[in-house]
Amino acid sequence: MTLSIGFTLNGKAVSMEADPAERLLDTLRYRLGLTGTKEGCGEGECGACTVYLDGLPVNSCLVPTYQVRGARVETIEALDPVQLGPFLEQGATQCGACTPGVVMTALWISAHPELLETHTVRELMAGNLCRCTGYDGIVDAVATTIGEVGEGGRGKGEA
Amino acid sequence: MQRREGLAKLTGRERYVDDLPLEGALWGMTVRSPAPRGRVSAVRFRPDVNWSEIVVVDYRDVPTANEILLIERDQPVLAAGYVRHVHEAVLLVAHPSREMARRAARAVDVVVAPEPPALDFRAPPRPEQIQFGRDNVLKRLQIAKGDVEQALARAPVVVEGVYETGAQEHVYLETQGMIAWLENDVLVVKGSMQCPYYVLNALQHALGRDERRVRVIQTPTGGGFGGKEEYPSTIALHAALLALKAGRPVKMVYDRPEDMASTTKRHPSLVRHRTALTTDGRLLAQDIEVVLDGGAYVTLSPVVLSRGIIHAAGPYACDNVRIVGRAMFTNAVPFGAFRGFGAPQTLFALERHMDVIARALGLDPVELRRRNLLRDGQSTATGQVIRDGTDRIAVLERALALSGYREKQHSHAAFNAAQRSQRRGIGLATFYHGAGFTGGGEVHLNSRLQVAGLPDGRVEVLSANIEMGQGTLTVFTQIVADRLGLAPEEVVIGEPDTARVPNSGPTVASRTTMVVGRLIERAADDLRHRVGLDDRARGAAVKDAIMRWHREHRGEPLLGEAVYERPPGIAWDEERYQGDAYAAFAWAAYVAEVEVDLRTCTTRVIDFVAVQEVGKVINPTLARGQVQGGVVQGLGWALMEECKVENGAMINNQLTNYIIPTSDDVPPIRVAFVENPYPHGAQGAKGLGELPIDGPAPAILNAVAAATGADPRAIPLTAERLMEIVERTH
Ligand code: FES
Ligand code: FES
């Protein structure tokens, strides 16, 4: 059994048949060719598969495709690279496997600076695992994006 | 220079193996052993799958030799009627649908007639558990210097200790993956890997293909940390066997649970120290025993053991040293290369032991290290005389100053007296890491590299060394551009494709920048000479000469070349394990500050300072990132990463229950470099990639010991484990 669904993907209307068990992550990667969204764990732990669903970051490995019926989905492919300067400068990417997910979460945080009144960048980024950077580069890039110096004034990781 | 492929990674445009479109491909899956040891008495195909649609491969489909070529040839590509560990590959299946292939793999029952497995590497094997040689010892190695027995007998103080470390999973964020297909008669295998030529050799050996009929291409690799040193040969062989049988392209990409359960991990270790000292803390003798769990096949255990024992006595001067090491066969999933390669285990033991000694002598841990750190002119355990001009005391002092070590000791005393359940402490580790292959390894590798001049005047590096996040593409670009006076855009880094690039050796052992980078410089010089220029020619002069050469030699390749040359004055005696174990060492002092909650026994690292001397730092942002990432990986190993094993199988093979550090678990990692250019490394650089994982675990545990008065001797120091120790202490 498959279900007919329609949704908006990166600003364009999409309609397709989806198996009820199909994950949004696989739909994006294997059926729609949007391979920027990565799989790191397949169970909601690593955040590599982060996309925006109606403007909110979600783990696309946990979202059945049929559930995005009528919704707005945005992936890394839709982001404006102009915002990425600080990520390059601060060394926020190494192997890159976590990176699209990290960027999705990071840019969402910088679009919602009010979150930083109650949470630290480190808390907000904790859903995105990175095995390469040790997180300083990522945290510093977010801090730069939102115009902060870095945590405790020494976020640059330089002693 | 900023990371060269950085923007592609940040925008999701970088294509990893699972991102490549592959027309008409099948998905391959692996059927694995359910038991740690025994004869395969039956393989049953359950009828709920339409088997006529499934491609099935077993050991009889291996054309030439059912062996994965590495140091030894004991590991089969597919088990031939007998299994030696849980999750050993027995059968392969493939189908156009990933879900169908997965279902087919689950519909095969491998029945094993069990035999008694050896599961504890620390216990001497019972006769019925012996499966390798006479005693299950995969490899024995020994280092001897001076007269340890006599020194121990005469010493005023002897301090003993036993230290243990657990297995660690790499958790490269991109799991293992490979695709294989036939192009005319050439087998092409493409995927995530650190060592294209290891994979090529393994394919040639098992499949009986000469190098013209097999080609290996590396895809951008989403982390390796050693986990993609030897294992990719296995999955490459599996994908190749399926592709050959199916006559269609085959893709194998492990999901996370399969990757965690069935691929290599860091070797668990047990290290015993018996140390003789003067009453004021000078080392008189170090007697060290190192035991590693090797798992069910030899794989790289002999060389991991080698690096482990060479680092076991640490960066200290001691006239009498005996280190005996052995790697044990067990029926565990084979352990393998992991960043640091044996050194993190033995340095954990040593640096924890130094604090145990300090406590026993009533001496300050800093003072104990200061008294024993190697001075130029003194020698290591293998008798390697160190004369690199690095001031190791200055490295230590810098770490103390940056961390505010003394001030914090005082403020912690006040804090701990005032708090009911919170305890703070600060801890230190001083250590070193040898760069490049051990002993004569680099000579045996005989690495070759080319720098091509292209018709449009650009140059291209042809090397088998790969990018996995550590910055190869950027650093190679910088090295060529600086050498020839070119802009970074005028430098191309060729795809690691064994049909095109010479064997410049594996991307391991912190050798890429130091050793391969130096080959690039020499090959660039050679290129200059071939177009009639001397070493002073730069920029436009080089470009013009390359273009002129091509106009005069149409269609011919223009290649500058270099082959590895051993730096002068280096000698290694493999028989006696004496001499210059490494061409160069990197030196470091790391300081951790922790806060322990005595109610829950959770440990939080609240500050971390990493000071190191790695020669000249070529790219500060990348170098800093390597250190920060290594420290956090070491922090995970020290406090939270625990492979839980039952009957030889990892049972927490998911990221939900194998816990690695998140951004909220770690403080900013403060990094500083002391620079002392190394004359035989590219631009003065030494190896860096592995060093940062050697220091965090002992520094953190020493800090916990300082904070709580407890005496932890094993990692991971999880809350449960610390609770036991604290209860015993108070
Ligand atoms: S792949 Fe979705 S959270 Fe890891
Ligand atoms: S950059 Fe490799 S996992 Fe984050």
Side-chain angles (χ1 to χ4, degrees):
Chain A
M1 184 196 66
T2 60
L3 303 160
S4 301
I5 56 161
F7 59 102
T8 312
L9 176 60
N10 296 338
K12 293 205 188 80
V14 179
S15 52
M16 61 177 3
E17 300 283 309
D19 186 285
E22 185 171 330
R23 308 180 301 172
L24 179 59
L25 173 63
D26 294 329
T27 308
L28 294 171
R29 290 180 49 78
Y30 301 127
R31 295 182 63 192
L32 299 169
L34 296 181
T35 54
T37 305
K38 305 298 179 196
E39 172 163 355
C41 68
E43 52 185 12
E45 285 295 322
C46 75
C49 63
T50 305
V51 301
Y52 301 154
L53 185 57
D54 287 333
L56 289 177
V58 296
N59 292 324
S60 63
C61 69
L62 295 184
V63 177
T65 302
Y66 77 87
Q67 279 190 1
V68 306
R69 185 197 301 248
R72 204 158 34 88
V73 176
E74 287 155 280
T75 68
I76 186 78
E77 284 85 357
L79 288 188
D80 180 359
V82 167
Q83 313 169 72
L84 298 175
F87 293 82
L88 266 182
E89 284 149 27
Q90 304 292 349
T93 180
Q94 288 188 23
C95 83
C98 73
T99 303
V102 163
V103 168
M104 293 298 279
T105 306
L107 292 186
W108 190 79
I109 295 169
S110 48
H112 297 84
E114 68 279 6
L115 291 169
L116 293 160
E117 288 161 21
T118 45
H119 296 89
T120 65
V121 173
R122 283 185 183 270
E123 285 166 1
L124 294 168
M125 287 303 309
N128 288 82
L129 296 178
C130 173
R131 193 59 154 170
C132 297
T133 62
Y135 301 107
D136 283 288
I138 295 168
V139 172
D140 295 343
V142 178
T144 312
T145 313
I146 55 183
E148 289 196 355
V149 191
E151 294 183 347
R154 57 161 196 233
K156 292 243 186 305
E158 267 144 346
Chain B
M1 183 182 161
Q2 288 180 350
R3 177 176 288 275
R4 217 173 161 181
E5 79 292 4
L7 199 57
K9 285 177 170 171
L10 287 162
T11 53
R13 279 186 286 110
E14 188 78 312
R15 293 261 175 145
Y16 302 81
V17 61
D18 193 27
D19 303 336
L20 300 174
L22 204 58
E23 281 305 307
L26 310 182
W27 282 93
M29 295 279 167
T30 314
V31 178
R32 300 177 179 280
S33 164
R37 180 189 178 190
R39 200 172 49 79
V40 178
S41 56
V43 177
R44 297 202 189 104
F45 296 83
R46 288 206 302 271
D48 49 328
V49 164
N50 179 1
W51 290 101
S52 68
E53 288 180 0
I54 310 282
V55 182
V56 179
V57 159
D58 71 14
Y59 69 95
R60 291 165 301 188
D61 294 299
V62 183
T64 304
N66 186 18
E67 299 166 343
I68 301 170
L69 183 69
L70 204 59
I71 296 174
E72 301 292 340
R73 298 172 180 186
D74 58 328
Q75 187 172 18
V77 180
L78 289 168
Y82 196 90
V83 291
R84 295 188 187 279
H85 66 84
V86 178
H87 300 311
E88 181 159 9
V90 178
L91 218 73
L92 305 166
V93 296
H95 186 274
S97 141
R98 189 181 205 174
E99 193 39 46
M100 278 305 299
R102 196 174 278 141
R103 243 183 266 165
R106 285 200 199 113
V108 183
D109 292 319
V110 175
V111 185
V112 176
E115 294 175 32
L119 294 174
D120 184 358
F121 76 104
R122 294 161 299 192
R126 295 191 307 273
E128 67 274 18
Q129 293 173 317
I130 292 183
Q131 296 155 74
F132 193 97
R134 274 181 305 169
D135 49 10
N136 276 359
V137 176
L138 291 174
K139 182 75 182 178
R140 266 199 177 81
L141 287 171
Q142 178 158 2
I143 295 171
K145 176 187 186 186
D147 188 338
V148 168
E149 286 302 338
Q150 197 183 55
L152 279 165
R154 287 188 189 164
V157 186
V158 174
V159 181
E160 301 190 23
V162 183
Y163 306 89
E164 291 184 67
T165 65
Q168 185 182 23
E169 162 57 32
H170 304 84
V171 198
Y172 29 67
L173 251 277
E174 179 211 25
T175 55
Q176 305 268 356
M178 210 64 76
I179 53 183
W181 71 92
L182 272 174
E183 222 166 85
N184 301 316
D185 192 31
V186 179
L187 172 69
V188 186
V189 176
K190 198 167 176 174
S192 188
M193 66 181 80
Q194 294 177 228
C195 315
Y197 273 89
Y198 283 10
V199 176
L200 182 79
N201 293 339
L203 290 167
Q204 283 186 244
H205 179 76
L207 307 180
R209 290 182 161 253
D210 67 37
E211 63 203 7
R212 282 162 309 177
R213 294 199 306 141
V214 53
R215 175 176 167 197
V216 175
I217 305 166
Q218 180 253 0
T219 50
T221 296
F225 315 113
K228 292 171 184 170
E229 175 168 354
E230 75 276 36
Y231 194 83
S233 296
T234 302
I235 181 169
L237 278 160
H238 291 171
L241 286 169
L242 281 168
L244 289 173
K245 186 141 182 186
R248 287 171 68 177
V250 168
K251 178 175 190 171
M252 295 187 87
V253 175
Y254 291 169
D255 63 16
R256 182 62 62 184
E258 179 175 26
D259 193 296
M260 292 181 89
S262 56
T263 69
T264 55
K265 314 258 170 294
R266 185 186 298 288
H267 291 71
S269 77
L270 179 140
V271 180
R272 283 196 183 83
H273 274 267
R274 201 152 61 113
T275 310
L277 302 114
T278 62
T279 45
D280 64 350
R282 272 177 218 284
L283 290 170
L284 296 173
Q286 292 170 284
D287 190 14
I288 307 169
E289 183 189 2
V290 177
V291 191
L292 298 182
D293 189 349
Y297 293 102
V298 174
T299 65
L300 293 170
S301 293
V303 273
V304 172
L305 180 67
S306 165
R307 186 177 279 272
I309 64 165
I310 290 172
H311 286 75
Y316 303 115
C318 182
D319 291 335
N320 306 292
V321 182
R322 176 172 61 202
I323 308 165
V324 295
R326 57 183 196 277
M328 298 302 298
F329 173 97
T330 61
N331 295 92
V333 178
F335 296 97
F338 194 147
R339 192 181 208 167
F341 213 70
Q345 290 93 320
T346 57
L347 284 167
F348 164 73
L350 174 76
E351 283 303 291
R352 187 72 263 284
H353 187 58
M354 289 298 273
D355 270 38
V356 169
I357 291 172
R359 200 179 269 185
L361 293 181
L363 206 68
D364 180 72
V366 174
E367 214 29 61
L368 177 65
R369 288 176 172 84
R370 200 196 307 267
R371 279 180 200 169
N372 291 289
L373 274 174
L374 283 162
R375 269 56 165 191
D376 264 20
Q378 294 180 314
S379 68
T380 65
T382 63
Q384 176 164 6
V385 180
I386 300 297
R387 335 191 146 78
D388 59 8
T390 294
D391 185 344
R392 283 160 284 276
I393 303 287
V395 173
L396 170 61
E397 295 294 352
R398 183 88 187 274
L400 296 175
L402 286 175
S403 61
Y405 186 93
R406 295 293 178 209
E407 300 80 340
K408 277 184 181 160
Q409 277 185 318
H410 290 123
S411 66
H412 289 165
F415 178 91
N416 293 342
Q419 294 281 327
R420 278 184 51 150
S421 56
Q422 302 304 109
R423 294 288 178 275
R424 286 190 179 171
I426 194 160
L428 165 76
T430 49
F431 55 101
Y432 64 166
H433 198 93
F437 265 39
T438 303
E442 290 292 340
V443 174
H444 292 298
L445 280 178
N446 196 30
S447 301
R448 288 195 315 121
L449 183 134
Q450 294 168 334
V451 174
L454 304 178
D456 61 4
R458 291 179 306 159
V459 299
E460 180 179 18
V461 178
L462 298 173
S463 134
N465 294 96
I466 62 91
E467 172 70 51
M468 54 178 157
Q470 84 288 36
T472 300
L473 297 177
T474 311
V475 168
F476 280 8
T477 302
Q478 267 182 267
I479 291 172
V480 187
D482 287 354
R483 194 74 173 184
L484 298 178
L486 301 173
E489 314 78 70
E490 294 168 325
V491 177
V492 182
I493 309 295
E495 183 178 51
D497 171 352
T498 58
R500 273 197 85 217
V501 301
N503 187 356
S504 53
T507 307
V508 304
S510 310
R511 66 186 292 276
T512 306
T513 299
M514 179 177 104
V515 177
V516 184
R518 179 69 195 128
L519 289 175
I520 293 179
E521 292 183 336
R522 289 176 40 227
D525 291 349
D526 185 48
L527 175 69
R528 234 176 338 210
H529 301 163
R530 282 173 199 254
V531 294
L533 299 173
D534 65 24
D535 288 346
R536 284 164 309 180
R538 292 173 61 75
V542 175
K543 279 177 69 175
D544 290 346
I546 291 172
M547 288 191 281
R548 191 175 335 112
W549 189 96
H550 276 286
R551 284 194 297 275
E552 290 162 6
H553 303 80
R554 286 203 187 271
E556 287 176 45
L558 169 59
L559 296 171
E561 288 191 304
V563 179
Y564 178 76
E565 278 172 13
R566 187 204 294 253
I570 298 281
W572 173 249
D573 180 342
E574 182 72 28
E575 290 297 301
R576 294 170 45 242
Y577 252 66
Q578 284 294 306
D580 301 310
Y582 299 98
F585 287 97
W587 309 95
Y590 285 8
V591 177
E593 184 186 10
V594 302
E595 184 168 320
V596 179
D597 183 333
L598 289 178
R599 289 164 308 186
T600 56
C601 279
T602 45
T603 302
R604 212 178 152 79
V605 179
I606 54 177
D607 189 23
F608 201 101
V609 167
V611 179
Q612 46 260 304
E613 192 282 299
V614 294
K616 178 96 181 76
V617 174
I618 297 186
N619 184 313
T621 304
L622 294 187
R624 192 183 73 214
Q626 280 287 293
V627 174
Q628 291 168 327
V631 167
V632 168
Q633 209 169 39
L635 184 155
W637 185 48
L639 293 177
M640 53 185 88
E641 297 182 31
E642 180 168 30
C643 295
K644 298 202 171 102
V645 176
E646 245 173 57
N647 200 28
M650 183 174 179
I651 53 167
N652 58 332
N653 55 324
Q654 292 167 286
L655 289 179
T656 36
N657 44 20
Y658 181 88
I659 306 300
I660 67 168
T662 70
S663 52
D664 197 30
D665 295 324
V666 298
I669 308 301
R670 302 194 283 144
V671 179
F673 295 98
V674 173
E675 288 183 293
N676 176 22
Y678 166 60
H680 306 292
Q683 298 192 0
K686 293 193 282 200
L688 160 66
E690 296 172 285
L691 176 83
I693 204 159
D694 293 339
I700 290 167
L701 264 76
N702 288 340
V704 172
T708 60
D711 184 9
R713 304 275 177 110
I715 54 170
L717 185 62
T718 56
E720 299 80 45
R721 207 175 242 158
L722 182 58
M723 190 160 289
E724 271 174 41
I725 301 170
V726 166
E727 276 167 9
R728 248 187 284 136
T729 315
H730 293 287

